[in-house]
Each structure stands twice: as structure tokens, then as C-alpha cells.
Amino acid sequence: MRLSINKSVLLNELTKASKLIELKNVNPALQGVYMEVSFDKLVIVSSNTSTSFKAELNNENSDLIIEQPGRILVKPKFILELLRKLDSEFVTLSTFAENELEIITEKSNLKVSILNVEEFPLIGFVENGLELSIDSQEFKSTLTQTISSINEWNQKVVLAGMNLKIKDNKISFVTTDLFRVSLKEIILNEATNQEVDIIIPYKTLIELRNLIENVKEFKIIIHDTNATFKLDNDLLQSTLIDGRYPNVHSAFPTTHEIKLELKAKTLLKVLSRFELTNDQNITSVVNLEIQQSGIILKTTIAETVKYEEKFTEYKYEGSSNLNINFNTKYLIEAIRSFDDQLIHLTFNSQNKPVLITGAQKRDLKQVVLPTYA
């Protein structure tokens, strides 16, 4: 195998592939990155069994020049370290003898041992199925707004991921840890009669969040027990969580006794002063005494710290007062997902959750359950 390629492109794709590798994987072959060179392209593959990554590079997207086809399996650590430090615009990769890869520039060369390529498992990437085209930045925003409501270690396996559901030409993304619920809805550009109800694992969502940064074309391809995410020239394929996601829509109140309208960033600035932790690193509980004239916020940490502040920058709708407690961290994360929007907080009683929505744009909903001080 011998090829010449743009160093920055190779570094970028190898970095993506390496992030999927689990060094403690019981299969030693999955600790390496698989590279296969044909006469017109370089394919880079990595996998941790449940999630797999694939990149295809050619002359157009990476200045690839192929002199000799071949395939190798290599641990990427030292290659990545060298590529990050090289000043050269292009590098040459060439197999040396039968067990070494040589990386060559005009002024340097590095030889690294390669693994037995025959031990790398055959991984099939499925690109046929129900295909959804979603704006990449909108999907990235959806991840940011909803991922905090997932508990990766939840004993209920179906809750350790995001529920993607398609119905009535609308995609809904739902996450919950049973203490809070996040719901984001996106209208499909193309009509479909198909209904979908799948659960995407938390680790896959984290990988997607890392990969989607500068992506122009983003698609989700759903097929049987897997989902393939197309990110320009890259594919990320994941097994799905088996099971039925609970119907959480009943958690969203349809009536209210009190509605507050305020700027998200203004309230966040106040709440940040209440995000204290005790010696066991447990987040504080914030108490809200809500009245038409103002909200008194209070918190106490292990009887040693007490803080109180009055907040008045809101519009009030209702006819009653309310005293209610929330996990400060959960409340902050829910409100932060709205950026600097004007938002509504609606309440019913001290035992009912708060519903948070945008005052104008209502595609995102957050529910936070009250707690006890």
C-alpha cells in the first residue's frame, strides 16, 4: 500500500475514527483503525461493536493520490501525535515489509507497527432505509437542548437514550431521567406516511455532537435495529436500544395557575448564585416563593450556608401565590436550553412540575419536577 494525501484531512478523519475506540475492548483488533486503499479511494473504519465509523476519502476531498492499493490495521495514537506536529501539507503512507507503516514527508519519516488486518471484523454499513434530511445545525441545537435530561446509567435501559418518533410529518425528540423531560419537535420538509419510534443510545448522541460541528449535509437512515447517520463524507452507524420508550407527553401540563414571562438569561444569572454544592458534591435545592410582586429565592447548604435574593424582572399572570422547590442544577439546565429567548414558566401547585417554553417559538418544551428541601 502506498498513497499521498492532504495531512490536515487525514488527521481530521483519523481523529474522528480514534474517538470511537475503546482501549479495553475484549477484541484487540477493535483497538485499531482499519484503512483500505482501492484504486480510487481510501476508506477509514473504526468500531466499538455497538457504534461504527466510516470515512471515504478521494482526490476531490483530500488530494488523494494512490500508487498502490492495500489494507492495514493500525493503532492511531502515535500517528495522530506526529500528524498534529508536522508542518508538511502532504504526507505519504507506505507499508514497509509486512508489519510496518511508514509515514513520509520531505524531511522526516516515522515507522509504526501494524496489527493483523485479517482479525478486523467485517462491518457492513447500511445506507438503505427510511431517510430523513435534517438541517445539521438544527440537529446540533436539538442535542444541546435535550441531552442533559438523559441519565446514561439509568437502571431502566430505555431511558439511557433519546426517543426519536415520527408521526404526522413531525419528528419529536424526547429525553427524560424521570426528574425532568425535554421535548423538541421539528416539522419534516418532505411528507411521509411512515411512523417511527426508536431509541438512540446516549454514547451515540455524544459522538454525533462531536462530529456534526461543520457538517453541511446531515441525514438519518433508519433500518431495522440500526440507524446510520450520514455526515458529509462520513458515516456513523449505531445499534438502537431495544424496548418501548414511556409515553411522557402526560408530563406536560395543559393548564396553569401561574404564568411568568421573562428573559431566560436574566433568570439564569440569578440562579447561578444558587448553584452551590455541599461536601458530598450534591447540588443545592432552590426554594421559590412566587408572588405577583416578586419571587424570593432561598437556599441552604448543610445548615452552614444560607442565601436569599429577590427577583422582580418578569410579567405575572395568575391570582395565587406558590411556594415550590427545585434541584437548582436541573432548573438551570432546562432554562439554559432556550439561550436568550423570552420564555414562559407555568406552574400549578407545589407538587406539580414547571413547564418551560419559548414565548414565541414553542418547538422546545422542558419539564422539571419539584423536589423537597
Side-chain angles (χ1 to χ4, degrees), residues 310-328:
K310 186 172 184 179
F311 179 73
T312 58
E313 298 178 55
Y314 61 86
K315 293 181 181 178
Y316 176 94
E317 179 185 305
S319 57
S320 60
N321 299 332
L322 179 65
N323 191 307
I324 192 167
N325 300 311
F326 292 103
N327 178 299
T328 313

Side-chain angles (χ1 to χ4, degrees), residues 127-143:
E127 297 183 57
N128 298 316
L130 176 62
E131 187 174 291
L132 309 173
S133 294
I134 303 174
D135 180 82
S136 61
Q137 294 309 303
E138 186 164 22
F139 185 75
K140 179 186 175 184
S141 176
T142 297
L143 289 178

Side-chain angles (χ1 to χ4, degrees), residues 157-162 198-202 225 239-244:
V157 178
V158 294
L159 297 184
M162 170 190 281
I198 62 173
I199 307 172
I200 305 170
Y202 177 79
T225 58
T239 57
L240 301 172
I241 295 176
D242 186 30
R244 189 87 178 163

Side-chain angles (χ1 to χ4, degrees), residues 19 34 48 50 130 177 220 269 277 295 299 312 316 350:
K19 287 181 178 178
Y34 174 83
N48 58 23
S50 62
L130 176 62
D177 58 5
I220 304 176
K269 191 174 181 179
T277 55
I295 301 174
T299 192
T312 58
Y316 176 94
Q350 65 177 4

